[in-house]
Amino acid sequence: MGSPSLLFLFLAVLAFVTVDCSYEGDVLYAWKIKLEDPNNVLKSWDSSLANPCTWSHVTCNSNNNVTRVDLGNAGLSGPLIPDLGNLTFLQYFEVFENKINGSIPSEIGKLLKLVSLDLKYNHLSGFIPESLGNLTSLRFMRLNHNNLTGTVPKEIFQLIGSGNLWTLDLSDNDLNGTVRATNPIGFAITTVIQDPKA
Ligand SMILES: *[C@@H]1O[C@H](CO)[C@@H](O)[C@H](O)[C@H]1NC(C)=O
Ligand SMILES: *[C@@H]1O[C@H](CO)[C@@H](O)[C@H](O)[C@H]1NC(C)=O
Ligand SMILES: *[C@@H]1O[C@H](CO)[C@@H](O)[C@H](O)[C@H]1NC(C)=O
Ligand SMILES: *[C@@H]1O[C@H](CO)[C@@H](O)[C@H](O)[C@H]1NC(C)=O
Ligand SMILES: *[C@@H]1O[C@H](CO)[C@@H](O)[C@H](O)[C@H]1NC(C)=O
Ligand SMILES: *[C@@H]1O[C@H](CO)[C@@H](O)[C@H](O)[C@H]1NC(C)=O
């Protein structure tokens, strides 16, 4: 039989481990409860688990940090939440072809490891945050077919030269202004930006 103090130590360690590992689970769970999920694709997103790495549509690295969220064509509606910017290790955020609405939180610009931001074919509105210009790892940015407005921040275009941005699709929104499609070698531009009423 273990002594009471040993049991206490065990419980204290367990509590520490649980709290530490569920941080990113809390972030995703905070998002889940804002979403409507008629197809129940988030059924396995159980906040009582030690980490979100066994949840469907979530991938972790070997340290149990979330690297991918794959929720394309999942029937989801509702907003993106600023807390998503806390998923420090996220590389792929694939949430295309849903009914996600509201604006893109500027906190998405904190996801410095992001390689792909795919939000095409949703109902997003508002401006494209200039903070996305900080995503120098970003290779693919697809925001096409939403209701985004305003002018495209120059910081985004600067990623083409200074970062890794390879595919940028902003077509089929209500964005203001036109952009000359430059096409340096190897840069697969699919950007088509038009005056809303042109
Ligand atoms: C995300 O980070 C912010 C700022 O550090 C914090 O206020 C917020 O509570 C975090 N969100 C979650 C769900 O932990
Ligand atoms: C996972 O990320 C959180 C911060 O978001 C960090 O506190 C934790 O230590 C990371 N886990 C590992 C195993 O690196
Ligand atoms: C998003 O859609 C929900 C209904 O699905 C609506 O209640 C909400 O007002 C919408 N939000 C925005 C910012 O359009
Ligand atoms: C954009 O907004 C218009 C009018 O509010 C709406 O009819 C249309 O379905 C929206 N498109 C998208 C992709 O959200
Ligand atoms: C980009 O990150 C820096 C810190 O690294 C921060 O000071 C700046 O505000 C960020 N830019 C935007 C547009 O958010
Ligand atoms: C669109 O661009 C024109 C010319 O640059 C500017 O006058 C106007 O304020 C812009 N509108 C919006 C909604 O950004």
Side-chain angles (χ1 to χ4, degrees):
M1 275 180 75
S3 71
S5 62
L6 210 57
L7 180 65
F8 174 77
L9 184 67
F10 173 73
L11 289 175
V13 167
L14 192 67
F16 174 75
V17 167
T18 302
V19 168
D20 185 49
C21 291
S22 66
Y23 176 72
E24 294 183 340
D26 289 348
V27 171
L28 288 172
Y29 195 78
W31 186 37
K32 169 183 168 158
I33 62 180
K34 300 277 188 186
L35 296 173
E36 281 178 49
D37 176 20
N39 303 335
N40 237 345
V41 299
L42 306 179
K43 192 178 175 184
S44 64
W45 288 27
D46 175 352
S47 61
S48 71
L49 296 178
N51 64 54
C53 302
T54 56
W55 298 1
S56 42
H57 314 291
V58 174
T59 307
C60 293
N61 61 19
S62 56
N63 292 326
N64 289 339
N65 283 110
V66 175
T67 56
R68 297 188 67 111
V69 173
D70 287 279
L71 284 166
N73 197 10
L76 299 170
S77 52
L80 300 174
I81 61 169
D83 307 77
L84 290 166
N86 299 11
L87 298 173
T88 314
F89 297 85
L90 194 62
Q91 293 183 291
Y92 293 84
F93 192 62
E94 309 289 307
V95 191
F96 52 89
E97 292 168 36
N98 286 286
K99 293 172 187 161
I100 301 296
N101 71 346
S103 55
I104 300 173
S106 64
E107 287 80 358
I108 297 294
K110 287 160 53 182
L111 300 172
L112 297 180
K113 293 196 192 308
L114 210 56
V115 173
S116 174
L117 178 64
D118 196 339
L119 296 169
K120 67 176 180 261
Y121 284 82
N122 277 291
H123 297 163
L124 292 165
S125 55
F127 302 142
I128 299 175
E130 63 181 34
S131 63
L132 298 187
N134 269 352
L135 300 179
T136 49
S137 296
L138 204 60
R139 200 144 178 84
F140 310 97
M141 187 188 311
R142 297 184 172 99
L143 304 178
N144 49 300
H145 203 99
N146 280 286
N147 265 335
L148 297 167
T149 52
T151 40
V152 182
K154 65 178 185 316
E155 289 83 356
I156 306 274
F157 293 114
Q158 283 164 358
L159 284 179
I160 295 167
S162 65
N164 286 303
L165 196 58
W166 187 267
T167 295
L168 174 64
D169 195 342
L170 303 172
S171 59
D172 213 358
N173 278 292
D174 290 321
L175 294 165
N176 192 14
T178 50
V179 163
R180 235 174 335 113
T182 52
N183 193 2
I185 290 169
F187 179 67
I189 195 162
T190 50
T191 314
V192 182
I193 302 175
Q194 294 168 331
D195 280 310
K197 306 289 176 256

